[in-house]
Amino acid sequence: RACPSFTRPMKRFIRRTNTRLVHVVLGEFARHLIQLYKNNDVSEFQEIADAIEILYIRGTDYNREALTGGLLETIKCHCVCNNLDPEQFAKFLKPLSIRHWKSMDQS
């Protein structure tokens, strides 16, 4: 719900790959976010950041691991591959999400 622009691409991705593996779908979501950013469309980023923060707060350990390793880390990797500054994404994140974002640099 936080990113309506991903609904159709996600359905196409699932049909094409026949997968619903969380880390794989989150990787596709990361690619979608990079594309939005490259198109200067960050209109959904605040709601997405709110949803990520809620999942870090209320989610299970599995949710948090999936967010960190499946989404945030993939965003950072795609930034590097696309010559983008990852910190441009970090500025949208909330406090707990930022802590996980920064923890990846220390690993």
Side-chain angles (χ1 to χ4, degrees):
R1 288 184 280 184
C3 187
S5 67
F6 186 58
T7 302
R8 289 180 61 200
M10 181 184 69
K11 288 178 182 177
R12 280 194 308 270
F13 175 76
I14 289 171
R15 256 193 329 269
R16 189 177 75 242
T17 63
N18 198 31
T19 187
R20 290 180 185 264
L21 297 171
V22 172
H23 280 75
V24 176
V25 174
L26 286 173
E28 186 66 15
F29 184 52
R31 282 186 282 284
H32 178 72
L33 296 178
I34 294 290
Q35 192 58 52
L36 289 175
Y37 184 79
K38 287 170 75 174
N39 292 337
N40 294 315
D41 181 2
V42 296
S43 60
E44 298 171 310
F45 280 26
Q46 277 307 175
E47 276 195 62
I48 294 165
D50 290 341
I52 291 169
E53 190 76 358
I54 288 168
L55 283 169
Y56 270 121
I57 293 168
R58 297 184 186 158
T60 65
D61 287 341
Y62 179 80
N63 296 138
R64 288 185 283 278
E65 173 59 33
L67 287 171
T68 304
L71 183 59
L72 299 183
E73 188 172 347
T74 305
I75 288 171
K76 280 189 171 192
C77 289
H78 282 291
C79 283
V80 171
C81 292
N82 286 279
N83 295 317
L84 300 172
D85 179 7
E87 294 310 309
Q88 293 303 310
F89 283 87
K91 70 182 181 184
F92 293 99
L93 297 175
K94 307 297 180 185
L96 190 54
S97 304
I98 283 286
R99 190 167 65 188
H100 286 274
W101 177 268
K102 289 180 180 180
S103 75
M104 291 184 291
D105 294 334
Q106 299 166 357
S107 301

